[in-house]
């Protein structure tokens, strides 16, 4: 009996792939940094029993409809807005993601981004590189305190809760807004549920950790930024389209808010001339929330475990639909 054929849309380390080769016939796109071409993805989806995809790969209804043999798509991300899950479900295609294994790593990055923005670390680093460091002055590159401030977390999922745990270590007051109350987080972390506008009005740091949905699309718009404190810092480490970038740029220029730390953008990748990159009070990262060697290897293995379990007839570990 032939092994199920799986196509992987990026080049993954051989030592990760090899242990699964007894049960799966695996072929990979031969480039690590270059995304799979649309033509190649369509070609492979026609013959593959399973796909291991990245967040940048669009598995839309048109592709699903043409994929006669496809049975499972293992997406190497927590989010899966790159996949038409409804279409996949209609054609009896299982979709999986990679939650849990990246929770703490992404929370580390998110809180690090908050700290870097609040304390102007990137700006200070560039200040030295530009040869500007001269005599000491009382308010040279003075940022804002983090300890004993109020953090407002929009989206209290696993990563949101992990960010809250880190905030408690800085003696911060934790507010949150979520589509449902998280009583366990309230009990364990002292987190306080508030309505969205109240979160905006009371928080010194507003952190977006929500998935991208119709409800959250551009939830952070001009009105939301106007409702924040003038001294507030906005952090987004979830999905870029939860914010309106033009509105954020104008809010920063007009000093409606004090700064922003961004790991995500509406259209990725961004170029060096992107307006937000021109503002000193903004720290930008290239969507590296889960980017540690340890975590990325765990994500790869979870995708492959899901594929193997599916083809064995077992339930995948992290099924979405």
């Amino acid at each position: 009996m032939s092994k199920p054929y799986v196509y992987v849309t990026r080049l993954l380390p051989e030592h990760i792939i090899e242990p699964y080769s007894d049960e799966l016939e695996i072929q990979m796109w031969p480039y690590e940094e270059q995304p799979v071409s649309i033509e190649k993805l369509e070609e492979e989806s026609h013959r593959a029993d399973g796909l291991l995809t990245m967040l940048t790969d669009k598995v839309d209804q048109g592709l699903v409809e043409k994929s006669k043999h496809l049975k499972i798509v293992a997406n190497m991300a927590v989010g899966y807005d790159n996949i038409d899950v409804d279409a996949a479900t209609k054609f009896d295609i299982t979709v999986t993601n990679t939650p849990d294994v990246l929770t703490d790593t992404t929370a580390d990055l998110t809180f690090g981004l908050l700290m870097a923005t609040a304390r102007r670390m990137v700006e200070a680093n560039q200040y030295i590189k530009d040869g500007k460091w001269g005599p000491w002055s009382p308010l040279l590159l003075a940022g804002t305190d983090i300890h004993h401030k109020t953090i407002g977390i929009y989206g209290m999922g696993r990563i949101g809760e992990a960010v809250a745990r880190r905030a408690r270590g800085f003696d911060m007051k934790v507010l949150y807004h979520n589509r449902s109350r998280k009583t366990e987080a309230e009990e364990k972390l002292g987190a306080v549920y508030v309505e969205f506008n109240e979160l905006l009005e009371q928080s010194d740091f507003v952190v977006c950790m929500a998935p991208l949905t119709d409800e959250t699309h551009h939830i952070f718009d001009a009105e939301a930024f106007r409702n924040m404190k003038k001294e507030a810092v906005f952090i987004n480490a979830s999905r870029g389209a939860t914010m309106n970038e033009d509105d954020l740029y104008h809010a920063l220029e007009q000093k409606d808010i004090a700064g922003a730390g961004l790991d995500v953008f509406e259209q990725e990748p961004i170029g060096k001339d992107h307006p937000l990159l021109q503002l000193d009070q903004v720290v930008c990262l290239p969507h590296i929330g889960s980017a540690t060697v340890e975590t990325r290897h765990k994500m790869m293995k979870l995708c492959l475990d899901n594929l193997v379990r599916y083809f064995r007839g077992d339930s995948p570990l992290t099924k979405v639909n």
Side-chain angles (χ1 to χ4, degrees):
M1 185 175 177
S2 61
K3 293 182 286 189
Y5 175 66
V6 170
Y7 189 73
V8 183
T9 62
R10 288 292 176 95
L11 183 64
L12 304 186
E14 187 60 34
H15 72 90
I16 298 291
I17 294 294
E18 198 278 330
Y20 298 89
S21 60
D22 286 344
E23 297 193 56
L24 304 173
E25 180 189 346
I26 300 173
Q27 293 292 325
M28 292 187 285
W29 178 248
Y31 307 105
E32 182 179 351
E33 297 184 2
Q34 179 184 334
V36 65
S37 67
I38 295 173
E39 295 77 15
K40 184 63 173 177
L41 180 59
E42 289 181 350
E43 174 191 332
E44 292 293 342
S45 67
H46 291 173
R47 60 187 289 247
D49 299 298
L51 291 175
L52 196 164
T53 55
M54 309 295 128
L55 190 61
T56 50
D57 303 323
K58 292 295 181 185
V59 181
D60 56 17
Q61 182 172 340
L63 186 141
V64 166
E65 287 177 345
K66 298 173 185 175
S67 303
K68 303 303 182 184
H69 304 288
L70 189 61
K71 301 174 182 67
I72 178 171
V73 178
N75 205 45
M76 196 179 128
V78 173
Y80 41 87
D81 43 281
N82 58 310
I83 299 173
D84 189 329
V85 177
D86 290 337
T89 304
K90 179 181 176 182
F91 287 89
D92 200 27
I93 297 171
T94 294
V95 177
T96 68
N97 64 341
T98 58
D100 297 328
V101 294
L102 50 66
T103 296
D104 282 319
T105 300
T106 304
D108 285 349
L109 186 284
T110 302
F111 208 83
L113 183 56
L114 182 155
M115 294 177 68
T117 307
R119 295 300 306 272
R120 301 172 65 179
M121 294 182 188
V122 174
E123 188 181 354
N125 177 260
Q126 191 60 46
Y127 185 83
I128 294 177
K129 289 183 175 181
D130 291 342
K132 295 179 180 179
W133 194 6
W136 179 87
S137 62
L139 292 175
L140 174 65
L141 290 165
T144 184
D145 279 336
I146 300 163
H147 60 84
H148 298 104
K149 294 291 185 72
T150 297
I151 185 172
I153 301 172
Y154 177 71
M156 199 64 152
R158 296 179 183 90
I159 302 174
E161 289 188 28
V163 171
R165 287 196 295 273
R166 284 149 180 78
R168 293 295 293 166
F170 282 73
D171 293 320
M172 301 182 83
K173 179 180 180 181
V174 179
L175 306 180
Y176 80 96
H177 182 78
N178 201 59
R179 59 185 176 184
S180 59
R181 292 282 292 268
K182 305 297 283 286
T183 54
E184 187 175 345
E186 293 174 15
E187 293 167 2
K188 289 185 176 180
L189 302 170
V192 178
Y193 176 85
V194 293
E195 294 299 330
F196 181 59
N197 282 336
E198 191 176 351
L199 181 140
L200 298 177
E201 292 166 1
Q202 294 189 19
S203 300
D204 300 299
F205 298 91
V206 176
V207 181
C208 179
M209 299 308 306
L212 179 61
T213 65
D214 290 341
E215 180 185 354
T216 63
H217 182 264
H218 281 188
I219 187 76
F220 289 96
D221 57 9
E223 182 180 1
F225 295 124
R226 280 195 299 269
N227 287 338
M228 293 183 195
K229 296 180 180 181
K230 296 285 187 184
E231 305 82 14
V233 172
F234 173 66
I235 304 294
N236 192 352
S238 58
R239 287 292 180 266
T242 57
M243 63 187 176
N244 184 309
E245 285 182 8
D246 290 338
D247 289 353
L248 174 59
Y249 178 83
H250 291 304
L252 290 160
E253 264 212 322
Q254 295 164 15
K255 301 189 186 305
D256 289 334
I257 62 173
L262 309 172
D263 188 41
V264 290
F265 300 87
E266 289 194 68
Q267 298 293 328
E268 297 178 0
I270 63 171
K272 63 180 182 179
D273 297 324
H274 192 285
L276 288 166
L277 290 177
Q278 316 312 312
L279 302 176
D280 288 338
Q281 68 270 43
V282 180
V283 176
C284 296
L285 302 177
H287 204 151
I288 57 170
S290 63
T292 66
V293 172
E294 299 93 333
T295 292
R296 289 288 167 87
H297 283 178
K298 289 176 184 176
M299 293 168 70
M300 295 170 193
K301 290 176 182 178
L302 179 53
C303 286
L304 291 159
D305 287 340
N306 279 327
L307 289 160
V308 165
R309 287 178 65 88
Y310 177 89
F311 290 116
R312 284 178 181 170
D314 298 327
S315 178
L317 296 166
T318 53
K319 188 175 179 180
V320 170
N321 58 342

